[in-house]
Amino acid sequence: MNALKPMPKEPTPLPGAEETTPCIDTSKMSAGQRAALELTEAARETVAGRGSFAQGLFLGRFDLSELGPFPEQTSEDRDQGDAFLQRLEKFLREKVDPDEIDRAGEIPNEVMEKLAALGAFGIKIPSGYGGLGLSQTNYCRAAMLLGSYCGNLTALLSAHQSIGVPQPLLLFGTEEQKQKYLPRVARGEISAFALTEPGVGSDPATMQTHAEPTPDGDYFVLNGEKLWCTNGTQAGVIVVMAKTPPKRVGGKPRNQITAFIVEMNWRGVEVTRRCRFMGLRALYNGVIRFSNVRVPRENILLAEGKGLRVALSTLNTGRLTLPAACVGLSKRCLAISRKWAGERVQWGAPIGKHAAVADKISRMAANIFAMEAMTLLTASRVDHDKHADIRLEAAMAKLWGSERAWEIVNDTMQIRGGRGYETAASLQARGEEPVPVERFLRDSRINTIFEGSSEIMRLFIAREALDPHLKVAAGALNSQWPLAQRLKVAAKAGLFYAGWYPRQFLPRFYVSRFTFDAHPTLARHLRYASNASQRLARALFHAMVRFGPKLERQQLLLGRLVDIGTELFAITAACLRAQGEIDRGVGGVKESKTGSHSGAVNGAPIPSKENLVELADFFCRSAQLRIEESFRALRRNADRQNYRLAQEVLKNQFEWLESGIVEKNS
Ligand SMILES: Cc1cc2nc3c(=O)[nH]c(=O)nc-3n(C[C@H](O)[C@H](O)[C@H](O)COP(=O)(O)OP(=O)(O)OC[C@H]3O[C@@H](n4cnc5c(N)ncnc54)[C@H](O)[C@@H]3O)c2cc1C
């Protein structure tokens, strides 16, 4: 039975929103803040329509019909994926030693060659261009497999095809560019993405790398230096973001960033250093210098001045690889923890019988279930609707998945005790099983930093959550606008909120037909999520009224709202997944030719209905506790004192706390 049927749409909650542009008051910002804001606002991907499911959560709109039932891969798609995954898995097991790669800091040539022969560099590239042409879901399954085994190979393949040349080329490339580059990168010519610079981390407005057009306009001359370019030291072709001459927008000069495809063997391109890190020791990550590199105009991606949009759009889907890899890593951690907690006996019992360890294991299992659900649900939307707006869902999956995976690896190390901290090689030398938790911990720490740090993800989600409100009401508070225009906007906004706000207090008895047909426990959690989304919408509205344009500076408050929205998405994904698997037939989940289902590769054991409900129920209860805590903290917190104290620390007023330490090079 497929319980989830489309329900009649609620009225679009913010009428007229599409016509107005966000009118953020920048008059009180510093020049740097204004430039950063204008640049990112200009690059924001705006999608027409009512917004995604996740955006609806912040508006009190809980519309399950936007997600549909939990996706089941078609048997054709699953079998295509299985065929590749089985070859990849066999190769990893038989030919790849991830601990040796970690120790040597190098990926052997034979591994690179075999990966290329398997098609692992062109998983999503259509077969017409020489790739495997697999779906986003199958690509995510490959990332799960790799993430469970070798962080270095995961980063190599992910940087290559999630952010390197293939993804932006598939999204924005001309047919000529695709014909020229896609077959090369699909065959295994490594690619990379170069945005970061010494002074440019999360904020691209301060970019120094620049490209000037030649007098005939046929070329751009590229100069500058890029930092931490993953795959950069091995790449044949990369995407480079550079400043191009400003354009006048509304009478004022506006900075332009353009994305170029650059070949690494062109004159003037030089890798000046290979960077080394705490983990991912075999990452081919480098500093790349460009000195008067002539880039043909036809190598511009999308258009001059659209580089940031290329980068942001690339990351919207590209970002899904990371939570998928986190799922694989977390599953491996669960397997390690389960085994060790069952066999290690201390104080007269297996350590898993002690509640403090048991708590870690149950949280791990529940979080993995939700993490995989969020990732597969979002990946499937990419597969089924090219135009689906998945920006928030992907960002939530990245934010939540990378933070939970870090907790899971950390907990796994705690459960393994001293053995968790010991290297695999040392364990083996003592005659014990070489369990690589120490490597996993080092390799996974970066996940909350790159491809959008957690802090930036929260700001990004908050910006998108606020967008419908900004479109309706921000103009009224914009001191840069004429009074008459502000009053007009205020009147329109007043009218809108007079209808919208009271609706957020109406108790909801009906959520969706889904909740009638769903397992009662799951239906209860979905009703909670629906009601909590109304509370979230009210809380966001109250924060807007209280802080006005200063709300963007309330990062802790916005962070709590984002965390609530993200947990609500996680609850929804977990419940849909559990119900989806129940609907497909408990104890008889459809099997593909290879015996696998729902993202698993090797004939995973079939879960029972009780298992599914128990896992989802525990996850939802835990998420509800976190949500309620965040709601409480919206009302009662020490945010102001917190900020004041930090500023005093930064002004060296507490330097005395740092006495009695040794600092080198200070
Ligand atoms: C191993 C590795 C691989 C990488 N690969 C690539 C690559 O292939 N291509 C590429 O272009 N880049 C790459 N990067 C760069 C990576 O994306 C950046 O490190 C990341 O964007 C953060 O930039 P940053 O380190 O300069 O931190 P900063 O931007 O300086 O930020 C420092 C801290 O401040 C926080 N912060 C910054 N701004 C705000 C704000 N407004 N509000 C709240 N908090 C804020 C950040 O979240 C972070 O915690 C890589 C980095 C590493 C370490």
Side-chain angles (χ1 to χ4, degrees):
M1 173 187 56
N2 176 4
L4 192 64
K5 301 256 167 55
M7 58 180 256
K9 299 253 184 241
E10 286 174 28
T12 303
L14 298 182
E18 284 84 28
E19 303 136 32
T20 1
T21 45
C23 349
I24 300 166
D25 188 351
T26 55
S27 61
K28 297 193 182 68
M29 294 180 180
S30 69
Q33 281 175 323
R34 194 177 313 130
L37 186 94
E38 283 172 0
L39 196 66
T40 38
E41 283 299 320
R44 271 186 65 242
E45 205 181 348
T46 43
V47 180
R50 0 188 292 146
S52 64
F53 173 80
Q55 195 177 51
L57 290 172
F58 295 92
L59 292 166
R61 189 181 74 218
F62 187 80
D63 187 352
L64 287 176
S65 70
E66 283 173 8
L67 293 176
F70 195 81
E72 184 185 21
Q73 270 190 286
T74 62
S75 50
E76 189 192 0
D77 189 48
R78 194 172 48 228
D79 290 345
Q80 276 176 5
D82 286 352
F84 169 66
L85 291 175
Q86 281 179 344
R87 284 186 279 130
L88 180 64
E89 184 183 344
K90 184 171 181 314
F91 167 65
L92 292 176
R93 273 186 203 285
E94 292 173 3
K95 302 284 183 218
V96 176
D97 179 348
D99 289 308
E100 178 53 23
I101 289 177
D102 174 64
R103 194 202 56 74
E106 302 291 341
I107 300 172
N109 282 340
E110 314 83 77
V111 171
M112 292 279 200
E113 284 160 14
K114 183 66 187 175
L115 283 172
L118 283 171
F121 286 92
I123 300 175
K124 277 201 313 172
I125 296 175
S127 51
Y129 299 106
L132 298 180
L134 295 185
S135 62
Q136 180 69 34
T137 301
N138 283 327
Y139 178 52
C140 283
R141 292 172 64 201
M144 287 178 196
L145 197 69
L146 287 157
S148 71
Y149 195 63
C150 180
N152 287 297
L153 291 191
T154 313
L156 167 84
L157 295 173
S158 164
H160 169 75
Q161 48 206 323
S162 297
I163 58 173
V165 172
Q167 181 73 15
L169 212 51
L170 286 170
L171 287 175
F172 302 114
T174 61
E175 192 48 42
E176 239 179 354
Q177 289 171 336
K178 289 181 186 170
Q179 294 284 358
K180 181 168 179 190
Y181 289 110
L182 285 179
R184 279 167 56 175
V185 291
R187 272 198 303 272
E189 180 169 347
I190 294 173
S191 76
F193 170 80
L195 169 66
T196 305
E197 298 179 7
V200 179
S202 313
D203 167 18
T206 49
M207 186 173 288
Q208 296 298 310
T209 299
H210 58 98
E212 310 297 333
T214 52
D216 60 9
D218 289 348
Y219 289 84
F220 279 76
V221 180
L222 180 68
N223 280 287
E225 190 174 75
K226 292 291 180 183
L227 179 65
W228 296 329
C229 180
T230 297
N231 291 352
T233 65
Q234 296 272 322
V237 58
I238 69 177
V239 176
V240 181
M241 298 293 152
K243 253 184 3 196
T244 43
K247 288 242 162 76
R248 292 195 83 74
V249 179
K252 283 188 274 169
R254 158 118 14 116
N255 285 335
Q256 301 284 299
I257 291 180
T258 302
F260 296 95
I261 304 171
V262 173
E263 303 204 20
M264 292 296 283
N265 62 4
W266 284 348
R267 192 203 298 245
V269 183
E270 186 192 0
V271 177
T272 57
R273 178 162 296 279
R274 178 170 173 193
C275 305
R276 297 288 189 168
F277 302 97
M278 159 189 175
L280 298 181
R281 289 188 172 161
L283 206 63
Y284 291 107
N285 179 296
V287 179
I288 304 178
R289 185 178 298 151
F290 306 96
S291 314
N292 294 322
V293 180
R294 281 168 69 84
V295 186
R297 178 177 282 276
E298 61 261 24
N299 275 30
I300 288 178
L301 272 164
L302 187 56
E304 195 181 333
K306 300 283 184 206
L308 213 50
R309 176 162 294 187
V310 171
L312 297 180
S313 306
T314 298
L315 276 169
N316 283 335
T317 316
R319 213 169 252 142
L320 266 181
T321 322
L322 201 138
C326 286
V327 170
L329 171 69
S330 302
K331 286 184 170 195
R332 180 86 187 273
C333 284
L334 179 63
I336 292 168
S337 300
R338 177 176 54 78
K339 187 160 179 269
W340 187 245
E343 69 191 33
R344 174 71 171 170
V345 175
Q346 290 289 287
W347 303 86
I351 56 171
K353 294 275 182 198
H354 301 306
V357 175
D359 166 61
K360 293 179 182 40
I361 291 178
S362 55
R363 268 189 293 118
M364 242 181 239
N367 286 341
I368 290 168
F369 184 73
M371 200 191 298
E372 190 171 24
M374 289 162 96
T375 307
L376 291 177
L377 189 60
T378 312
S380 151
R381 288 183 61 70
V382 176
D383 287 332
H384 289 105
D385 179 3
K386 259 199 337 218
H387 304 294
D389 178 9
I390 55 134
R391 289 171 300 162
L392 281 195
E393 283 82 354
M396 286 174 167
K398 194 279 174 184
L399 168 66
W400 197 88
S402 61
E403 294 201 336
R404 290 298 87 75
W406 172 245
E407 275 169 28
I408 288 171
V409 182
N410 196 31
D411 282 348
T412 306
M413 177 164 279
Q414 197 68 18
I415 289 170
R416 286 277 297 165
R419 287 167 178 81
Y421 194 65
E422 191 172 6
T423 65
S426 175
L427 286 163
Q428 192 164 36
R430 292 196 296 104
E432 292 204 25
E433 194 185 344
V435 182
V437 178
E438 175 264 349
R439 168 167 63 84
F440 286 161
L441 191 101
R442 279 189 288 108
D443 284 354
S444 62
R445 182 60 188 86
I446 188 63
N447 290 337
T448 59
I449 299 174
F450 63 10
E451 296 190 22
S453 66
S454 286
E455 291 78 7
I456 299 300
M457 286 292 88
R458 287 195 170 85
L459 293 183
F460 170 79
I461 295 167
R463 171 66 189 85
E464 295 306 326
L466 278 169
D467 192 54
H469 294 287
L470 288 174
K471 283 175 176 161
V472 166
L477 302 172
N478 192 338
S479 60
Q480 292 159 304
W481 277 20
L483 186 64
Q485 198 177 348
R486 289 171 63 187
L487 288 174
K488 206 171 134 197
V489 174
K492 213 170 152 190
L495 210 61
F496 164 71
Y497 285 114
W500 177 84
Y501 185 66
R503 274 209 307 280
Q504 303 314 314
F505 287 89
L506 292 178
R508 258 186 212 155
F509 303 108
Y510 176 83
V511 176
S512 153
R513 272 204 53 194
F514 179 77
T515 51
F516 289 131
D517 298 336
H519 188 283
T521 304
L522 304 176
R524 181 162 45 81
H525 290 307
L526 288 169
R527 275 196 299 276
Y528 168 86
S530 173
N531 287 311
S533 87
Q534 284 180 301
R535 288 165 67 199
L536 175 62
R538 294 199 303 259
L540 183 63
F541 180 75
H542 295 158
M544 278 170 27
V545 171
R546 180 168 169 212
F547 294 104
K550 292 189 186 134
L551 179 58
E552 58 102 23
R553 280 187 239 156
Q554 299 296 321
Q555 292 194 348
L556 299 189
L557 182 152
L558 287 173
R560 288 182 194 109
L561 296 173
V562 166
D563 287 347
I564 292 170
T566 305
E567 295 283 4
L568 291 178
F569 176 49
I571 288 177
T572 310
C575 288
L576 290 183
R577 177 179 177 189
Q579 188 62 48
E581 300 221 15
I582 291 169
D583 286 347
R584 282 196 271 280
V586 184
V589 176
K590 274 186 211 156
E591 298 213 356
S592 69
K593 280 183 212 150
T594 51
S596 68
H597 70 94
S598 299
V601 190
N602 271 331
I606 293 164
S608 70
K609 179 173 167 181
E610 289 70 31
N611 276 174
L612 287 163
V613 174
E614 189 182 7
L615 206 51
D617 184 32
F618 177 71
F619 173 75
C620 294
R621 282 164 180 253
S622 309
Q624 282 169 28
L625 290 174
R626 292 191 292 268
I627 289 170
E628 294 306 322
E629 181 54 43
S630 293
F631 273 127
R632 255 194 305 281
L634 288 175
R635 294 188 297 276
R636 211 174 132 75
N637 57 59
D639 289 357
R640 277 165 70 167
Q641 190 187 14
N642 175 340
Y643 191 75
R644 197 172 55 238
L645 177 61
Q647 301 317 304
E648 287 165 6
V649 171
L650 292 171
K651 282 186 199 145
N652 303 340
Q653 288 180 24
F654 291 84
E655 218 175 341
W656 51 267
L657 264 175
E658 298 163 20
S659 64
I661 60 172
V662 181
E663 271 191 288
K664 214 176 162 193
N665 304 328
S666 62

